[in-house]
Amino acid sequence: MASKEDLFAEAAKHWDLERLYQAFAEAKRQISPRSRRGLTDTEKLYLRGLLSGCSPAEIAKKMFQTPKSAEVYLCKTLYQYVKKLADLPNESVGNWRNVCDRLQEAGFKTLSSSEFKMNNSLPTEALVKIVNIGFKESTVSIDINIRLEFPSTSETPKKEDLDKND
């Protein structure tokens, strides 16, 4: 059996857990000022379970609880905190799947390394210049120059200019 700390560890790969724990703790304090400070280990575990894409029933199974007890626990705790964070006090969370959507909209999801590489490899500026268009019998020829600017880790952006002849 995996330790409780190892359960739902994959949530840390895609979510800023420390920031989430702090935000949830603040929401908890506002909702229940007399409750224990910070999130309990159980609240953190349930949150990681939801962030890992597990249903309450799946979380309950891994924690050797009944699905109904997990649902009740989530409704009384984490769902209330999500409503507070999303500033939706009179709305229902609706479904456990909505938790990730609301938290992603609030900016708690981190970019995976592949998403980060993809976002940093896209051109920030592109210039396409048509130099010449030619018609010969049934053939059309178009000469173009393309300039792309890519983000750089340095202060000055790097440019690749195809106008230049090497």
Side-chain angles (χ1 to χ4, degrees), residues 129-150:
K129 185 171 26 171
I130 298 175
V131 179
N132 187 25
I133 299 177
F135 300 97
K136 191 173 190 181
E137 296 176 19
S138 62
T139 304
V140 176
S141 63
I142 303 173
D143 295 330
I144 59 173
N145 289 336
I146 300 173
R147 183 175 70 206
L148 302 174
E149 292 184 20
F150 292 90

PDB file of all heavy atoms in Angstrom, residues 129-150:
ATOM      1  N   LYS A 129       6.806  38.554 -47.107  1.00  0.00           N
ATOM      2  CA  LYS A 129       6.841  39.560 -48.169  1.00  0.00           C
ATOM      3  C   LYS A 129       6.859  38.829 -49.519  1.00  0.00           C
ATOM      4  O   LYS A 129       7.734  38.001 -49.767  1.00  0.00           O
ATOM      5  CB  LYS A 129       8.087  40.428 -48.021  1.00  0.00           C
ATOM      6  CG  LYS A 129       8.135  41.557 -49.003  1.00  0.00           C
ATOM      7  CD  LYS A 129       9.219  42.602 -48.802  1.00  0.00           C
ATOM      8  CE  LYS A 129      10.454  42.196 -48.110  1.00  0.00           C
ATOM      9  NZ  LYS A 129      11.515  43.211 -48.155  1.00  0.00           N
ATOM     10  N   ILE A 130       5.866  39.127 -50.363  1.00  0.00           N
ATOM     11  CA  ILE A 130       5.832  38.545 -51.704  1.00  0.00           C
ATOM     12  C   ILE A 130       6.714  39.418 -52.588  1.00  0.00           C
ATOM     13  O   ILE A 130       6.488  40.617 -52.739  1.00  0.00           O
ATOM     14  CB  ILE A 130       4.392  38.485 -52.252  1.00  0.00           C
ATOM     15  CG1 ILE A 130       3.536  37.575 -51.361  1.00  0.00           C
ATOM     16  CG2 ILE A 130       4.387  38.000 -53.699  1.00  0.00           C
ATOM     17  CD1 ILE A 130       2.074  37.531 -51.720  1.00  0.00           C
ATOM     18  N   VAL A 131       7.749  38.794 -53.146  1.00  0.00           N
ATOM     19  CA  VAL A 131       8.719  39.521 -53.938  1.00  0.00           C
ATOM     20  C   VAL A 131       8.335  39.539 -55.417  1.00  0.00           C
ATOM     21  O   VAL A 131       8.447  40.547 -56.089  1.00  0.00           O
ATOM     22  CB  VAL A 131      10.127  38.902 -53.769  1.00  0.00           C
ATOM     23  CG1 VAL A 131      11.150  39.633 -54.614  1.00  0.00           C
ATOM     24  CG2 VAL A 131      10.530  38.914 -52.315  1.00  0.00           C
ATOM     25  N   ASN A 132       7.851  38.397 -55.897  1.00  0.00           N
ATOM     26  CA  ASN A 132       7.569  38.294 -57.323  1.00  0.00           C
ATOM     27  C   ASN A 132       6.509  37.224 -57.554  1.00  0.00           C
ATOM     28  O   ASN A 132       6.525  36.182 -56.910  1.00  0.00           O
ATOM     29  CB  ASN A 132       8.858  37.949 -58.084  1.00  0.00           C
ATOM     30  CG  ASN A 132       8.660  38.002 -59.584  1.00  0.00           C
ATOM     31  OD1 ASN A 132       7.780  38.697 -60.076  1.00  0.00           O
ATOM     32  ND2 ASN A 132       9.483  37.263 -60.305  1.00  0.00           N
ATOM     33  N   ILE A 133       5.620  37.512 -58.504  1.00  0.00           N
ATOM     34  CA  ILE A 133       4.641  36.505 -58.934  1.00  0.00           C
ATOM     35  C   ILE A 133       4.796  36.372 -60.433  1.00  0.00           C
ATOM     36  O   ILE A 133       4.780  37.359 -61.168  1.00  0.00           O
ATOM     37  CB  ILE A 133       3.195  36.933 -58.590  1.00  0.00           C
ATOM     38  CG1 ILE A 133       3.030  37.102 -57.082  1.00  0.00           C
ATOM     39  CG2 ILE A 133       2.202  35.913 -59.137  1.00  0.00           C
ATOM     40  CD1 ILE A 133       1.665  37.597 -56.652  1.00  0.00           C
ATOM     41  N   GLY A 134       4.981  35.126 -60.883  1.00  0.00           N
ATOM     42  CA  GLY A 134       5.172  34.905 -62.313  1.00  0.00           C
ATOM     43  C   GLY A 134       4.186  33.879 -62.854  1.00  0.00           C
ATOM     44  O   GLY A 134       3.827  32.914 -62.176  1.00  0.00           O
ATOM     45  N   PHE A 135       3.733  34.116 -64.099  1.00  0.00           N
ATOM     46  CA  PHE A 135       2.831  33.189 -64.773  1.00  0.00           C
ATOM     47  C   PHE A 135       3.508  32.725 -66.047  1.00  0.00           C
ATOM     48  O   PHE A 135       3.930  33.526 -66.863  1.00  0.00           O
ATOM     49  CB  PHE A 135       1.507  33.892 -65.145  1.00  0.00           C
ATOM     50  CG  PHE A 135       0.759  34.434 -63.961  1.00  0.00           C
ATOM     51  CD1 PHE A 135       0.879  35.768 -63.595  1.00  0.00           C
ATOM     52  CD2 PHE A 135      -0.072  33.623 -63.213  1.00  0.00           C
ATOM     53  CE1 PHE A 135       0.203  36.284 -62.511  1.00  0.00           C
ATOM     54  CE2 PHE A 135      -0.760  34.129 -62.133  1.00  0.00           C
ATOM     55  CZ  PHE A 135      -0.625  35.464 -61.781  1.00  0.00           C
ATOM     56  N   LYS A 136       3.625  31.418 -66.212  1.00  0.00           N
ATOM     57  CA  LYS A 136       4.229  30.859 -67.420  1.00  0.00           C
ATOM     58  C   LYS A 136       3.432  29.620 -67.791  1.00  0.00           C
ATOM     59  O   LYS A 136       3.411  28.646 -67.042  1.00  0.00           O
ATOM     60  CB  LYS A 136       5.685  30.518 -67.160  1.00  0.00           C
ATOM     61  CG  LYS A 136       6.456  30.195 -68.394  1.00  0.00           C
ATOM     62  CD  LYS A 136       7.913  30.046 -68.072  1.00  0.00           C
ATOM     63  CE  LYS A 136       8.705  29.972 -69.355  1.00  0.00           C
ATOM     64  NZ  LYS A 136      10.119  29.809 -69.105  1.00  0.00           N
ATOM     65  N   GLU A 137       2.740  29.704 -68.900  1.00  0.00           N
ATOM     66  CA  GLU A 137       1.848  28.648 -69.365  1.00  0.00           C
ATOM     67  C   GLU A 137       0.861  28.286 -68.254  1.00  0.00           C
ATOM     68  O   GLU A 137       0.092  29.122 -67.833  1.00  0.00           O
ATOM     69  CB  GLU A 137       2.649  27.442 -69.852  1.00  0.00           C
ATOM     70  CG  GLU A 137       3.509  27.758 -71.073  1.00  0.00           C
ATOM     71  CD  GLU A 137       4.362  26.610 -71.503  1.00  0.00           C
ATOM     72  OE1 GLU A 137       4.078  25.467 -71.121  1.00  0.00           O
ATOM     73  OE2 GLU A 137       5.331  26.863 -72.223  1.00  0.00           O
ATOM     74  N   SER A 138       0.897  27.081 -67.737  1.00  0.00           N
ATOM     75  CA  SER A 138      -0.066  26.687 -66.688  1.00  0.00           C
ATOM     76  C   SER A 138       0.594  26.650 -65.306  1.00  0.00           C
ATOM     77  O   SER A 138       0.110  26.002 -64.397  1.00  0.00           O
ATOM     78  CB  SER A 138      -0.662  25.320 -67.018  1.00  0.00           C
ATOM     79  OG  SER A 138       0.347  24.343 -67.046  1.00  0.00           O
ATOM     80  N   THR A 139       1.712  27.377 -65.160  1.00  0.00           N
ATOM     81  CA  THR A 139       2.444  27.366 -63.897  1.00  0.00           C
ATOM     82  C   THR A 139       2.467  28.764 -63.293  1.00  0.00           C
ATOM     83  O   THR A 139       2.700  29.746 -63.993  1.00  0.00           O
ATOM     84  CB  THR A 139       3.892  26.886 -64.132  1.00  0.00           C
ATOM     85  OG1 THR A 139       3.859  25.616 -64.765  1.00  0.00           O
ATOM     86  CG2 THR A 139       4.645  26.783 -62.823  1.00  0.00           C
ATOM     87  N   VAL A 140       2.211  28.805 -62.001  1.00  0.00           N
ATOM     88  CA  VAL A 140       2.319  30.055 -61.260  1.00  0.00           C
ATOM     89  C   VAL A 140       3.510  29.906 -60.329  1.00  0.00           C
ATOM     90  O   VAL A 140       3.645  28.913 -59.610  1.00  0.00           O
ATOM     91  CB  VAL A 140       1.046  30.333 -60.427  1.00  0.00           C
ATOM     92  CG1 VAL A 140       1.217  31.580 -59.584  1.00  0.00           C
ATOM     93  CG2 VAL A 140      -0.177  30.448 -61.315  1.00  0.00           C
ATOM     94  N   SER A 141       4.392  30.881 -60.335  1.00  0.00           N
ATOM     95  CA  SER A 141       5.517  30.857 -59.397  1.00  0.00           C
ATOM     96  C   SER A 141       5.443  32.107 -58.527  1.00  0.00           C
ATOM     97  O   SER A 141       5.174  33.207 -59.009  1.00  0.00           O
ATOM     98  CB  SER A 141       6.851  30.785 -60.137  1.00  0.00           C
ATOM     99  OG  SER A 141       7.029  31.930 -60.925  1.00  0.00           O
ATOM    100  N   ILE A 142       5.655  31.874 -57.229  1.00  0.00           N
ATOM    101  CA  ILE A 142       5.614  32.977 -56.272  1.00  0.00           C
ATOM    102  C   ILE A 142       6.910  32.947 -55.485  1.00  0.00           C
ATOM    103  O   ILE A 142       7.269  31.934 -54.891  1.00  0.00           O
ATOM    104  CB  ILE A 142       4.408  32.840 -55.316  1.00  0.00           C
ATOM    105  CG1 ILE A 142       3.097  32.776 -56.099  1.00  0.00           C
ATOM    106  CG2 ILE A 142       4.388  33.984 -54.306  1.00  0.00           C
ATOM    107  CD1 ILE A 142       1.885  32.478 -55.246  1.00  0.00           C
ATOM    108  N   ASP A 143       7.633  34.065 -55.498  1.00  0.00           N
ATOM    109  CA  ASP A 143       8.847  34.209 -54.690  1.00  0.00           C
ATOM    110  C   ASP A 143       8.470  34.999 -53.443  1.00  0.00           C
ATOM    111  O   ASP A 143       7.898  36.091 -53.537  1.00  0.00           O
ATOM    112  CB  ASP A 143       9.938  34.967 -55.457  1.00  0.00           C
ATOM    113  CG  ASP A 143      10.414  34.194 -56.684  1.00  0.00           C
ATOM    114  OD1 ASP A 143      10.377  32.950 -56.640  1.00  0.00           O
ATOM    115  OD2 ASP A 143      10.800  34.845 -57.671  1.00  0.00           O
ATOM    116  N   ILE A 144       8.825  34.451 -52.298  1.00  0.00           N
ATOM    117  CA  ILE A 144       8.501  35.125 -51.042  1.00  0.00           C
ATOM    118  C   ILE A 144       9.717  35.162 -50.131  1.00  0.00           C
ATOM    119  O   ILE A 144      10.613  34.324 -50.227  1.00  0.00           O
ATOM    120  CB  ILE A 144       7.327  34.448 -50.291  1.00  0.00           C
ATOM    121  CG1 ILE A 144       7.658  32.989 -49.965  1.00  0.00           C
ATOM    122  CG2 ILE A 144       6.042  34.541 -51.073  1.00  0.00           C
ATOM    123  CD1 ILE A 144       6.635  32.307 -49.079  1.00  0.00           C
ATOM    124  N   ASN A 145       9.755  36.139 -49.256  1.00  0.00           N
ATOM    125  CA  ASN A 145      10.735  36.226 -48.174  1.00  0.00           C
ATOM    126  C   ASN A 145       9.948  36.138 -46.864  1.00  0.00           C
ATOM    127  O   ASN A 145       8.887  36.748 -46.729  1.00  0.00           O
ATOM    128  CB  ASN A 145      11.502  37.549 -48.211  1.00  0.00           C
ATOM    129  CG  ASN A 145      12.469  37.604 -49.377  1.00  0.00           C
ATOM    130  OD1 ASN A 145      12.891  36.573 -49.873  1.00  0.00           O
ATOM    131  ND2 ASN A 145      12.789  38.812 -49.806  1.00  0.00           N
ATOM    132  N   ILE A 146      10.496  35.406 -45.927  1.00  0.00           N
ATOM    133  CA  ILE A 146       9.842  35.236 -44.633  1.00  0.00           C
ATOM    134  C   ILE A 146      10.818  35.627 -43.532  1.00  0.00           C
ATOM    135  O   ILE A 146      11.974  35.217 -43.547  1.00  0.00           O
ATOM    136  CB  ILE A 146       9.400  33.763 -44.421  1.00  0.00           C
ATOM    137  CG1 ILE A 146       8.419  33.339 -45.508  1.00  0.00           C
ATOM    138  CG2 ILE A 146       8.784  33.576 -43.039  1.00  0.00           C
ATOM    139  CD1 ILE A 146       8.059  31.873 -45.469  1.00  0.00           C
ATOM    140  N   ARG A 147      10.335  36.410 -42.577  1.00  0.00           N
ATOM    141  CA  ARG A 147      11.131  36.742 -41.401  1.00  0.00           C
ATOM    142  C   ARG A 147      10.322  36.314 -40.176  1.00  0.00           C
ATOM    143  O   ARG A 147       9.162  36.688 -40.023  1.00  0.00           O
ATOM    144  CB  ARG A 147      11.438  38.231 -41.322  1.00  0.00           C
ATOM    145  CG  ARG A 147      12.350  38.539 -40.120  1.00  0.00           C
ATOM    146  CD  ARG A 147      12.793  39.967 -40.048  1.00  0.00           C
ATOM    147  NE  ARG A 147      11.650  40.795 -39.695  1.00  0.00           N
ATOM    148  CZ  ARG A 147      11.552  42.075 -40.011  1.00  0.00           C
ATOM    149  NH1 ARG A 147      12.495  42.674 -40.704  1.00  0.00           N
ATOM    150  NH2 ARG A 147      10.501  42.775 -39.657  1.00  0.00           N
ATOM    151  N   LEU A 148      10.959  35.540 -39.302  1.00  0.00           N
ATOM    152  CA  LEU A 148      10.325  35.068 -38.076  1.00  0.00           C
ATOM    153  C   LEU A 148      11.139  35.523 -36.881  1.00  0.00           C
ATOM    154  O   LEU A 148      12.363  35.437 -36.895  1.00  0.00           O
ATOM    155  CB  LEU A 148      10.235  33.537 -38.067  1.00  0.00           C
ATOM    156  CG  LEU A 148       9.481  32.889 -39.228  1.00  0.00           C
ATOM    157  CD1 LEU A 148       9.615  31.380 -39.151  1.00  0.00           C
ATOM    158  CD2 LEU A 148       8.018  33.287 -39.201  1.00  0.00           C
ATOM    159  N   GLU A 149      10.455  35.996 -35.838  1.00  0.00           N
ATOM    160  CA  GLU A 149      11.120  36.354 -34.590  1.00  0.00           C
ATOM    161  C   GLU A 149      10.680  35.365 -33.528  1.00  0.00           C
ATOM    162  O   GLU A 149       9.491  35.161 -33.319  1.00  0.00           O
ATOM    163  CB  GLU A 149      10.756  37.775 -34.162  1.00  0.00           C
ATOM    164  CG  GLU A 149      11.304  38.831 -35.082  1.00  0.00           C
ATOM    165  CD  GLU A 149      11.012  40.239 -34.598  1.00  0.00           C
ATOM    166  OE1 GLU A 149      10.721  40.415 -33.402  1.00  0.00           O
ATOM    167  OE2 GLU A 149      11.069  41.150 -35.432  1.00  0.00           O
ATOM    168  N   PHE A 150      11.657  34.733 -32.870  1.00  0.00           N
ATOM    169  CA  PHE A 150      11.383  33.746 -31.833  1.00  0.00           C
ATOM    170  C   PHE A 150      11.773  34.309 -30.475  1.00  0.00           C
ATOM    171  O   PHE A 150      12.722  35.075 -30.368  1.00  0.00           O
ATOM    172  CB  PHE A 150      12.183  32.457 -32.089  1.00  0.00           C
ATOM    173  CG  PHE A 150      11.725  31.714 -33.308  1.00  0.00           C
ATOM    174  CD1 PHE A 150      12.286  31.974 -34.554  1.00  0.00           C
ATOM    175  CD2 PHE A 150      10.729  30.764 -33.220  1.00  0.00           C
ATOM    176  CE1 PHE A 150      11.876  31.300 -35.681  1.00  0.00           C
ATOM    177  CE2 PHE A 150      10.307  30.083 -34.343  1.00  0.00           C
ATOM    178  CZ  PHE A 150      10.873  30.343 -35.575  1.00  0.00           C
TER     179      PHE A 150
END
